[in-house]
């Protein structure tokens, strides 16, 4: 896996060339998860319910359930073990819905991720964006 500081500090050109060749380990892990999920769904004959439209709605619902775990919490407040387990389950639900959506929509998620991160590196160069919450057109 890539060193995250390497990605954070990279300029757009070098980042784009490195990300255009996806990280084999990440790609393999995502493809393995997607394959397990597709087998799980096939065994239950759930593909009939998995249109991109329905999966996009399910993804939004699951993201909302993850967000609900933090409703009324204070920033920096420690997360208790019981709540952490619930948060992990909701995060996993988001990933499951995203993988299902990408599978049904023909989206190569590792490739899309790498391309998007390279575009963001161009829009948010470190020397302008570091420490700023401004949108790229305001930097």
């Amino acid at each position: 896996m890539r060193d995250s500081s390497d990605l954070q500090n990279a300029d757009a050109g070098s980042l784009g060339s490195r990300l255009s060749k996806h990280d084999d380990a990440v790609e393999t892990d995502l493809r393995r998860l997607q394959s397990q999920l597709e087998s799980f769904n096939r065994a239950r004959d759930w593909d009939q319910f998995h249109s991109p439209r329905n999966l996009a709605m399910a993804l939004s619902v699951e993201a909302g359930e993850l967000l609900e775990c933090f409703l009324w919490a204070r920033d920096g407040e420690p997360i208790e073990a019981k709540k952490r387990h619930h948060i992990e389950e909701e995060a996993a639900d988001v990933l499951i819905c995203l993988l299902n959506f990408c599978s049904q929509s023909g989206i190569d998620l590792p490739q899309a991720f790498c391309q998007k991160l390279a575009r963001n590196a161009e829009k948010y160069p470190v020397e302008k964006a570091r420490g700023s919450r401004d949108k790229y057109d305001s930097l």
Side-chain angles (χ1 to χ4, degrees):
M1 187 172 264
R2 291 186 177 92
D3 178 5
S4 64
S5 64
D6 184 38
L7 290 178
Q8 291 168 358
N9 296 320
D11 63 63
S14 65
L15 184 60
S17 64
R18 282 182 290 173
L19 289 177
S20 62
K21 308 170 204 133
H22 340 321
D23 185 313
D24 291 338
V26 171
E27 182 175 0
T28 300
D29 287 347
L30 273 173
R31 296 212 190 287
R32 183 180 46 81
L33 290 174
Q34 200 152 21
S35 177
Q36 289 175 340
L37 184 56
E38 288 169 0
S39 295
F40 180 89
N41 292 337
R42 226 179 355 266
R44 290 156 181 78
D45 192 27
W46 285 353
D47 284 340
Q48 63 181 316
F49 309 115
H50 289 175
S51 68
R53 175 185 165 275
N54 286 339
L55 290 167
M57 288 189 287
L59 179 57
S60 177
V61 168
E62 294 300 342
E65 291 177 7
L66 176 60
L67 186 58
E68 186 178 26
C69 295
F70 296 95
L71 186 64
W72 311 122
R74 291 192 171 100
D75 287 342
E77 189 175 295
I79 299 170
E80 56 203 50
K82 182 179 176 185
K83 191 169 188 175
R84 180 172 183 80
H85 177 73
H86 184 67
I87 291 167
E88 289 171 353
E89 287 193 345
E90 295 302 339
D93 285 341
V94 169
L95 179 60
I96 288 168
C97 285
L98 179 60
L99 290 174
N100 275 328
F101 175 81
C102 289
S103 179
Q104 291 297 319
S105 301
I107 294 171
D108 182 332
L109 188 56
Q111 180 181 12
F113 170 84
C114 290
Q115 290 172 348
K116 180 62 175 178
L117 194 57
R119 277 194 306 279
N120 283 350
E122 290 173 8
K123 290 170 28 175
Y124 297 96
V126 173
E127 61 277 359
K128 289 184 178 180
R130 184 171 176 77
S132 174
R133 63 177 160 236
D134 291 342
K135 193 172 175 182
Y136 65 92
D137 57 0
S138 297
L139 290 173

